[in-house]
Amino acid sequence: MNRTGEPSVAELMAQLAANAAEIAALKAEKEALSARVVKLEEELELARLHRFAPKSEKHVDRLFDEVEQVANEDEASGEDGEVVDLPETGFATIEKPEGKKRGRKPLPEHLPRERVEYDLADGQKACPCCRHQMHRMGEAVTEQLHIEVRAKVLQNVRFKYACRHCDRTGINTPVVLAPMPAQPLPGSIATASTLAFALVHKYVDGTPLYRLAQAFERAGVPVSRGALGHWVIGSSERHLSRIYDALKLRLRSQPLIHGDETTVQVLKEKDREATSTSFMWAYRSGEDSGEPIVLLDYQPGRGQIYPQAFLGDYRGILMSDGYTAWRTLAGATHIGCMAHSRRRFIDALKTRKKGGGPPEQALKFFEQLYRIESQAKNEKPEVGETQADCIRRFRQQHSVHILIALKAWLDDIAPKVLPDSKIGDAVSYTLNQWEYLTRYTEDGRMSIDNNLLERDIRIFATGRKSWLFSDTVDGVRASAVVYSIMLTCRACGVEPLAYLRHVLSELPQRATDTDITDLLPFNFTKAVAA
């Protein structure tokens, strides 16, 4: 029997069970808090690196000594698993290209030359040794770059004609005024060249309109910021939107389209707060397209209806990141961006204090995949083989084996990493997107990543750092049109100032239903060459 006041065996067992449950709960809470601490430490380290460290994603080996490298690999093996050797595919090693030669490049040959001659005074042409007259034996020529920016006023003089006979004998005297070509913005002081100058400074050089107005003021030409805004919106709505619409139709017929989106802020938009986030959707043709096109499309949200409305029933190849809105286009063949997956492993590597480990191992796979892509573009097709077929054959021979090994490694390491850590996020993203990430090996027209379009969007993002936001919806839509044409010019290798001068002079002369195919940027280079 139990003594009076002492707990029974059942009570002790119950208390023991309660204590065990409490210990298990505390242990689970400790593990959850530890995982959260790891995640927050990684986020803090990434934030610090994003602020102070170089932004380049190039993978640089941070080990300087072979012995140190072996020691770190052993340490990584003991901590995170064995180092996996990449499969041998017969892929030749690419030698590093030679560095660029140093020294100043010569000035371009196409620039006009103006001679500025410097001669000795007559009293200095006597020989300092014997005092006889010296003869000129040659000349020393050095070249400097000289740039002048000048503004001038065009006086459009239209002669008037009247009939003296009617003036003497008639009731009315007709007056005939000589016509002049239609102007881009009737009633405006800006010529096509002036409009092109303002548009290039804002959308190519990233100069906000208020600073452009200050530049005009310094030159002694007072032009208000409001007038500059009118020039931008007027040029877009009256003329450049015609180029944009024609490019949009051409883009939909491309076999491959890259898609992405980035944020933009509009202050004055109906039924929305000024702090609301809107989006600039971006679309681009493939790198090998004979008609390079880059288009931006402003929309107030990030829903699936926007790419669906823009691309319609597009049935080609669509390259995008893992955002599900792009995948809702049922008729398209979807491929994923390998760079997004690689970027996650780079972030995971940055958060490791010692480096190495699984992120380093993953980047070795990606490095090999991108080396294969680099060489595939230089492969020469066999007889009767297209370039796309050649690239597909090369990928099947080399890339597929690397991808199989990468998939096996990911499956093996997935249960061993914390899901909320950076390496866990990288592994889960890659596995979830695997079907889309590897589809590029099935078609030589497909790209391995979306970097081509991301480089174009970077120009918009750089300009956004200067002007920060758009004031009105009309302004941001005009910006989307002008940015699209400027980025398309860049993709086509067309000088944007010359192109805008041409189209803003030519479009006012053409009716709205006239064919303007010859004015598209990829045809402008052909017209100039002819």
Side-chain angles (χ1 to χ4, degrees), residues 453-485:
L453 179 56
E454 289 186 358
R455 285 193 293 268
D456 291 326
I457 293 181
R458 193 175 298 126
I459 297 175
F460 171 81
T462 301
R464 185 179 55 199
K465 290 181 179 179
S466 298
W467 45 261
L468 300 179
F469 49 77
S470 292
D471 190 46
T472 64
V473 174
D474 289 340
V476 72
R477 287 177 177 162
S479 293
V481 170
V482 183
Y483 263 120
S484 298
I485 294 174

Side-chain angles (χ1 to χ4, degrees), residues 69-85 352 355-358 360-361 364 409 413 416:
Q69 181 174 0
V70 173
N72 282 349
E73 286 180 353
D74 291 342
E75 182 181 355
S77 299
E79 179 185 349
D80 301 299
E82 296 182 356
V83 176
V84 179
D85 292 330
R352 291 179 62 91
E360 186 84 24
Q361 176 65 57
K364 291 180 180 179
W409 179 80
I413 200 175
K416 304 176 184 177

Side-chain angles (χ1 to χ4, degrees), residues 28-46 351 353 418 420-422:
E29 183 180 0
K30 175 181 175 296
E31 291 176 352
L33 290 175
S34 297
R36 178 167 176 77
V37 167
V38 170
K39 181 181 179 181
L40 293 176
E41 285 180 344
E42 289 181 339
E43 295 289 349
L44 179 62
E45 180 65 15
L46 268 185
T351 60
K353 296 179 181 179
L418 291 174
D420 290 337
S421 64
K422 289 299 177 183

Side-chain angles (χ1 to χ4, degrees), residues 109 156 171 264 495:
E109 292 293 334
N156 298 305
I171 298 176
V264 66
E495 205 285 307

